[in-house]
Amino acid sequence: MYYSYFVFQISLLIGFICVKNSAWINYSASIYFEIVTMCDLIMILVFYFVYLFRAYRMLTCISWPLAEFLHYLIGTLLLLIASIVATSKSHSSAGLVAGATFGFLATFLCALSIWLSYKISCITQSTAQYIDNTVL
């Protein structure tokens, strides 16, 4: 499951580099795609450091699983929109086409990560609740 996060990050980074190094046919589509991918990458890095340094133990006022879920949900929707816009405005620009392709791949991987984390957390919670009820 963790390798899907790295593939997601790498596909976002490749999409960003493709769009950044292409000749801009449509400036607004390129900038929107770049901003969405960079914001996603920065937020992924923030959550990575929060879990790496265990800051979630000190900041208990925030529901970290819910915050991560909302980040991935909103990020996936914005990335899907950015990929659609980049595709529709690509007018024979190879960089935008490649960036949009990697954007769609990252969108799929992010949706897959959301589904897997939801599935794992629901199974873990329901199993723990079942075990607690049978013990009582």
Side-chain angles (χ1 to χ4, degrees), residues 49-99:
F49 283 125
V50 163
Y51 287 116
L52 181 69
F53 295 118
R54 298 177 188 201
Y56 59 88
R57 291 182 180 175
M58 294 180 290
L59 300 170
T60 57
C61 60
I62 299 172
S63 173
W64 289 103
L66 179 62
E68 188 175 11
F69 174 74
L70 289 176
H71 160 255
Y72 280 118
L73 185 67
I74 293 169
T76 302
L77 291 175
L78 288 176
L79 189 60
L80 179 64
I81 292 168
S83 298
I84 290 171
V85 168
T87 302
S88 67
K89 302 291 183 178
S90 62
H91 304 299
S92 72
S93 172
L96 274 177
V97 172

